[in-house]
């Protein structure tokens, strides 16, 4: 009979623990780990949300920049942090999905060690060619590629980047054979397209929009599911005739796995609310980031699973790796 009472009391305390935590949390400042240096786009986004979260939660959200190794250092540290609601981090498709295929030992498992709370925004890529290239459409570029299999070149800012993976996905979706030319940095890869050193590229829209509007690059299609607000007159890859082609490099916020559900639910609600504020949407768009519709933690975590299922085979097929 004593054992029965103890079991009952333990169950009762467990049932009460989550609501009690939800009422008490947060009782101290929250740390937000960011995988890039101060001033980078990801850092700017993190600080916008940290400031608004601090106001609504009544506690300071302190941004902690941890750079290096493609974001693995910061994300691994996030995964090792106590699951008590006082550590969160800015994550992305790169850290949650691409790194799982690129690194043999990234230091974390994005599904086992982390819980994605919410997805805040996304950045599309855009297919670009030099103004001297006669191609006016994606179909024209594909025709050039089919005329000389394996000879048409595309640049990227490095192996394993979304620019590289966008080219690999184009090969898989269309059956064309392309030649990847990785550069040590994104600006060099973009300049190679503008100069005609390579035939085309698929770069983040905000990094090339100035050159497009300045007439130094031609934009043929964006890789997002819907047209970009930054280039509303440019068709999507799907509209251009490439079926099932979507690359939208998302970013969001995650916490260590096993963080209490009430904390995750509160953070999700606040991040979704902040993401819809007009002043935040305006500042995000200024960074080239288009806000995504609000969603639940379950929907965010499903996005990770779906992206892993899509991209891990693609990364494997490409032979890309990073250490």
């Amino acid at each position: 009979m004593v054992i029965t009472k103890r079991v009952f009391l333990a169950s009762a305390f467990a049932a009460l623990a989550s609501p009690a935590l939800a009422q008490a949390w947060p009782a101290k400042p929250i740390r937000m780990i960011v995988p890039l240096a101060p001033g980078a786009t990801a850092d700017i986004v993190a600080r916008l949300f940290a400031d608004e979260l601090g106001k609504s939660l009544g506690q300071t959200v302190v941004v902690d920049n941890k750079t290096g190794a493609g974001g693995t250092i910061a994300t691994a540290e996030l995964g090792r942090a106590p699951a008590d609601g006082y550590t969160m981090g800015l994550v992305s498709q790169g850290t949650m999905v691409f790194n799982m295929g690129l690194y043999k030992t990234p230091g974390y498992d994005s599904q086992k060690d982390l819980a994605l709370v919410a997805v805040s925004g996304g950045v599309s890529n855009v297919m670009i060619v030099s103004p001297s290239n006669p191609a006016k459409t994606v179909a024209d570029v594909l025709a050039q590629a089919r005329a000389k299999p394996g000879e048409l070149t595309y640049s990227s800012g490095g192996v394993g980047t979304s620019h590289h993976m966008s080219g690999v996905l184009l090969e898989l979706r269309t059956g064309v054979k392309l030649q990847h030319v990785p550069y040590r940095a994104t600006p060099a890869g973009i300049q190679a397209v503008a100069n005609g050193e390579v035939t085309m590229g698929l770069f983040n829209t905000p990094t090339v929009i100035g050159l497009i509007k300045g007439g130094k690059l031609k934009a043929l299609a964006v890789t997002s599911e819907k047209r970009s607000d930054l280039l509303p007159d440019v068709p999507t890859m799907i509209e251009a005739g490439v079926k099932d082609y979507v690359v939208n490099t998302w970013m969001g916020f995650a916490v260590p796995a096993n963080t209490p559900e009430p904390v995750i639910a509160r953070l999700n609600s606040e991040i979704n609310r902040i993401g819809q504020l007009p002043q935040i949407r305006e500042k995000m768009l200024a960074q080239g980031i288009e806000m995504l519709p609000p969603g639940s933690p379950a929907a965010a975590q499903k996005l990770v699973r779906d992206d892993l299922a899509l991209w891990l085979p693609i990364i494997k097929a490409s032979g890309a790796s990073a250490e």
Side-chain angles (χ1 to χ4, degrees):
M1 188 66 179
V2 173
I3 294 175
T4 302
K5 286 182 178 179
R6 286 178 178 172
V7 171
F8 173 78
L9 288 172
S11 299
F13 281 125
L16 291 171
S18 290
L21 175 64
Q23 291 173 4
W25 179 89
K28 61 181 182 180
I30 297 167
R31 177 188 179 211
M32 181 187 288
I33 302 174
V34 177
L36 290 172
T41 297
D43 176 71
I44 293 170
V45 171
R47 291 176 189 276
L48 286 173
F49 277 83
D51 183 55
E52 293 294 335
L53 276 172
K55 294 175 186 176
S56 58
L57 296 177
Q59 291 288 346
T60 302
V61 179
V62 181
V63 173
D64 185 4
N65 300 90
K66 296 283 184 178
T67 63
T72 59
I73 293 173
T75 312
E77 185 166 334
L78 176 62
R80 293 191 301 267
D84 57 6
Y86 291 99
T87 306
M88 61 186 296
L90 185 77
V91 295
S92 66
Q93 186 182 49
T95 56
M96 295 291 282
V97 178
F98 290 171
N99 282 357
M100 295 299 95
L102 292 171
Y103 290 85
K104 290 182 180 180
T105 54
Y108 62 94
D109 184 309
S110 61
Q111 290 189 284
K112 294 179 180 179
D113 299 331
L114 300 162
L116 188 59
V117 172
V119 178
S120 55
V123 179
S124 64
N125 288 345
V126 56
M127 180 186 281
I128 52 172
V129 296
S130 167
S132 63
N133 190 316
K136 295 181 179 180
T137 65
V138 173
D140 292 339
V141 172
L142 295 177
Q144 292 175 355
R146 292 189 176 103
K148 297 180 178 180
E151 294 184 28
L152 186 143
T153 53
Y154 72 98
S155 61
S156 77
V159 173
T161 59
S162 69
H163 332 132
H164 177 197
M165 294 298 106
S166 293
V168 175
L169 184 61
L170 184 63
E171 289 183 289
L172 294 176
R173 291 289 186 262
T174 63
V176 300
K177 298 298 180 183
L178 307 173
Q179 183 178 339
H180 175 223
V181 183
Y183 285 76
R184 295 184 65 180
T186 296
I190 294 170
Q191 193 60 45
V193 179
N195 293 342
E197 294 173 20
V198 296
T199 305
M200 62 99 172
L202 290 146
F203 287 90
N204 293 157
T205 303
T207 63
V208 296
I209 192 166
L211 293 172
I212 292 169
K213 291 184 175 181
K216 295 182 179 179
L217 289 170
K218 284 196 297 186
L220 303 186
V222 292
T223 64
S224 46
E225 187 173 3
K226 297 179 180 179
R227 292 196 180 198
S228 169
D229 289 340
L230 298 172
L231 294 169
D233 296 329
V234 177
T236 66
M237 291 289 283
I238 293 174
E239 288 175 329
V242 184
K243 294 182 179 180
D244 300 324
Y245 189 105
V246 176
V247 179
N248 199 44
T249 307
W250 51 263
M251 62 176 61
F253 297 90
V255 293
N258 301 316
T259 294
E261 289 299 325
V263 172
I264 291 177
R266 176 75 187 280
L267 283 173
N268 173 267
S269 176
E270 295 294 346
I271 291 167
N272 282 336
R273 179 189 64 80
I274 292 167
Q276 298 307 303
L277 295 174
Q279 67 270 27
I280 295 296
R281 296 177 69 89
E282 182 179 347
K283 290 176 181 177
M284 292 282 277
L285 192 59
Q287 297 300 317
I289 300 169
E290 298 176 81
M291 299 306 298
L292 299 176
S296 66
Q301 290 158 25
K302 182 178 184 297
L303 173 63
V304 175
R305 293 194 300 272
D306 290 348
D307 261 14
L308 286 167
L310 169 65
W311 286 105
L312 289 187
I314 293 172
I315 294 170
K316 184 176 180 180
S318 74
S321 65
E323 289 298 337

